[in-house]
Amino acid sequence: MPRQVFFYDQPERFVAGTVGEPGARAFFLQATGGGRTTSVLLEKTQVAALAERVDELLDEVLRRSGGSAPVPAVAPSDLIDVAPLDLPLVEEFRVGTMALAWDGSEECVVVEAQALVEADPEDDEADADDELIEDEEHGPPLLRVRISGAMARVFAKRALDLVAAGRPPCPFCSLPLDPEGHICPRANGYRR
């Protein structure tokens, strides 16, 4: 079966969002454009890592271009998107691998999220890795999004705000506090 690629070139919307209450949230990347919407499920740590890397990439592009690249230093306030995810929310796949790049010829950020691939315990691990690299036509599903520097800054800001809006950390152990209570591992009577 041919690889399913969900491609968005300068979509109307590209955001990270959640469903559920803090502590039980599901995280999604969602691209909307051309009358269609694609949503993929991922982990909170993946959202945080992607947002941080997007900011780092844009900062590096600005540094290398001497400030002449069409990339804002901060997210433009008129483009900030705080709307919820578009409904109905249909998960296309769970993200396993992500990639990020700057396309200098088009002056845009390219974000790729590839589906998680379950390894067959019968197969040799090296063979599975080779197959993913060599077989572009028949690989796992992929979301590929090309966005402007401004839209990338807005995406990163929203994603970082989203991750920070979770459960507050315990002041002693830094683990998340649960609404039902928290058993702090640092309050067990052991002193260092």
Side-chain angles (χ1 to χ4, degrees):
M1 185 163 104
R3 180 179 211 174
Q4 189 173 16
V5 177
F6 302 92
F7 180 64
Y8 289 85
D9 192 4
Q10 304 302 327
E12 297 158 18
R13 187 172 194 226
F14 179 61
V15 296
T18 62
V19 174
E21 294 298 316
R25 296 185 295 174
F27 288 78
F28 290 88
L29 288 181
Q30 190 175 72
T32 303
R36 63 191 175 105
T37 298
T38 303
S39 303
V40 296
L41 182 68
L42 69 168
E43 299 295 324
K44 178 180 181 178
T45 54
Q46 290 174 301
V47 172
L50 179 60
E52 290 166 3
R53 299 305 178 273
V54 165
D55 268 342
E56 290 171 6
L57 174 69
L58 295 175
D59 291 344
E60 183 64 15
V61 167
L62 275 176
R63 187 187 70 75
R64 287 186 181 196
S65 72
S68 65
V71 175
V74 296
S77 58
D78 59 323
L79 295 180
I80 298 212
D81 182 350
V82 294
L85 295 172
D86 293 332
L87 298 175
L89 190 60
V90 178
E91 173 191 333
E92 296 296 339
F93 58 84
R94 177 179 283 277
V95 175
T97 307
M98 294 186 297
L100 179 66
W102 173 258
D103 181 344
S105 62
E106 297 292 323
E107 296 188 321
C108 67
V109 174
V110 180
V111 178
E112 290 185 351
Q114 180 176 284
L116 181 65
V117 177
E118 298 292 329
D120 186 357
E122 301 290 319
D123 290 344
D124 184 357
E125 237 178 83
D127 291 342
D129 288 342
D130 291 343
E131 186 177 311
L132 284 177
I133 294 168
E134 294 172 10
D135 196 356
E136 285 294 318
E137 280 186 27
H138 294 88
L142 175 76
L143 171 65
R144 180 178 292 137
V145 181
R146 297 166 53 87
I147 53 177
S148 68
M151 188 174 226
R153 281 283 188 208
V154 169
F155 168 83
K157 179 182 181 351
R158 176 183 169 129
L160 290 171
D161 290 348
L162 184 73
V163 169
R167 298 173 290 171
C170 171
F172 302 109
C173 69
S174 299
L175 293 173
L177 294 172
D178 291 320
E180 301 85 36
H182 172 69
I183 299 174
C184 181
R186 302 244 0 227
N188 64 359
Y190 177 76
R191 291 185 184 181
R192 294 181 183 213

